[in-house]
Amino acid sequence: MRLAAFALALCVVVAAVVIGPLFYGDVARWAVETQRAFQNEMAGAIRALRAGEPGALAALMAAAAAYGFVHAVGPGHGKYLIGGVGLGTGVSAPRLVGLAAISSLAQALWAIVLVYGAFLLLEASAHHLTTLAEQWLAPASYAAIALIGVLLALRGARGLWRHLEPRRTTHTTSCGCGHAHAPRAEEVAALQSWRDTVALVCSVAVRPCTGAVFLLVIAWQMDIQLAGAAAVITMGLGTALMTSMVAVSSIAARGLAFAYSGSTGLMPIAAPSLQLLAGLMIVWFSMALLRFALA
């Protein structure tokens, strides 16, 4: 009975933190409308900057930062991956916040390289860049994030399986037989190597933000490339702020789940259970976005 209650609690925590906000239609509509407003502000600020109006650069940076934050409120942008990793692994809050910031800034830098490089080296059009970002890079990003979710779920399932071994072999975790039967909570971590970290960052960064592409295209056409690049980096900082909030919230939820499991004697399965459920949620949401992108 306690196990069933614990499993239900984990499902609620994962759904609420990772995907729950995405079902709030009013929030999603507000995000889209606000993004459009800030996009118009950015376009106006770029024209003002090109005309040499005072304060135009500051206005551009403020609009870009606000756009990045609001854009991250909507579906996608890797925050569900950051939230899932926070729930399902033993990663610390400072490290996860750092990863959220690095992922957002890497996404901004990739947008700069992609847009300016395509204009400079390939003489690509704005339409070609948008098509590349939405029809090719977005699905690649969703597929990569789904793969991370699969690995996270498999590690959680393996941890639960190892926890069941003592019951099948009459061993205990401290039986002295020379090998571990169940992983400790601190041992269950998805970011087990630098390869995991790089994979997480790249899976988010590979898809450039549509707003960043829009801003860079206009900046290139207005011949203010440096200001456009600076604004996109500022946009990345706005996105990083939102994803960092998700990171902190997910780790707080993980702490609540561990506290509950400790009071019910279910601590040994808390970490792998969270890891399995978070991985499955990441896969589910990534596949939903992938189907939408390919439709």
Side-chain angles (χ1 to χ4, degrees):
M1 185 67 181
R2 289 185 302 173
L3 183 60
F6 176 66
L8 178 60
L10 290 183
C11 289
V12 171
V13 167
V14 172
V17 176
V18 179
I19 65 171
L22 302 175
F23 291 105
Y24 300 154
D26 292 340
V27 174
R29 284 191 293 272
W30 170 83
V32 171
E33 294 172 358
T34 307
Q35 286 177 61
R36 189 177 298 113
F38 283 127
Q39 200 170 50
N40 293 334
E41 290 289 334
M42 288 189 295
I46 287 179
R47 289 191 293 269
L49 184 62
R50 184 69 176 83
E53 297 181 13
L57 182 59
L60 175 60
M61 297 302 163
Y67 177 92
F69 181 89
V70 174
H71 185 59
V73 173
H77 238 294
K79 67 178 175 296
Y80 61 97
L81 174 61
I82 295 295
V85 168
L87 278 171
T89 76
V91 64
S92 65
R95 187 180 181 193
L96 190 59
V97 168
L99 283 171
I102 291 171
S103 299
S104 298
L105 291 175
Q107 189 177 47
L109 291 173
W110 169 234
I112 295 170
V113 171
L114 178 67
V115 174
Y116 286 174
F119 279 140
L120 183 63
L121 302 176
L122 304 177
E123 298 183 355
S125 67
H127 173 72
H128 289 152
L129 288 172
T130 303
T131 300
L132 175 64
E134 295 301 318
Q135 296 187 10
W136 294 97
L137 297 181
S141 175
Y142 301 146
I145 291 174
L147 179 59
I148 293 177
V150 169
L151 295 176
L152 191 65
L154 288 176
R155 288 172 180 172
R158 185 169 63 245
L160 286 174
W161 180 257
R162 291 173 61 188
H163 175 71
L164 295 176
E165 283 187 334
R167 298 182 182 180
R168 294 187 294 105
T169 62
T170 68
H171 292 305
T172 65
T173 57
S174 59
C175 65
C177 64
H179 62 277
H181 296 285
R184 299 188 302 273
E186 61 271 18
E187 293 176 335
V188 181
L191 305 180
Q192 294 175 345
S193 69
W194 65 269
R195 294 183 185 88
D196 291 345
T197 301
V198 170
L200 186 151
V201 172
C202 290
S203 64
V204 174
V206 69
R207 180 206 175 189
C209 172
T210 305
V213 173
F214 163 83
L215 177 57
L216 291 168
V217 167
I218 295 180
W220 182 274
Q221 294 171 342
M222 294 284 186
D223 197 26
I224 49 172
Q225 292 88 348
L226 185 59
V232 166
I233 292 174
T234 304
M235 184 184 296
L237 292 175
T239 299
L241 177 59
M242 176 60 195
T243 53
S244 296
M245 292 170 62
V246 172
V248 173
S249 299
S250 65
I251 290 178
R254 184 186 71 203
L256 290 175
F258 281 175
Y260 175 82
S261 63
S263 65
T264 57
L266 296 171
M267 188 63 183
I269 67 169
S273 297
L274 273 173
Q275 194 172 50
L276 174 60
L277 289 172
L280 292 176
M281 291 297 101
I282 290 172
V283 172
W284 177 84
F285 190 49
S286 297
M287 289 297 98
L289 286 175
L290 182 59
R291 286 195 299 269
F292 178 79
L294 296 177

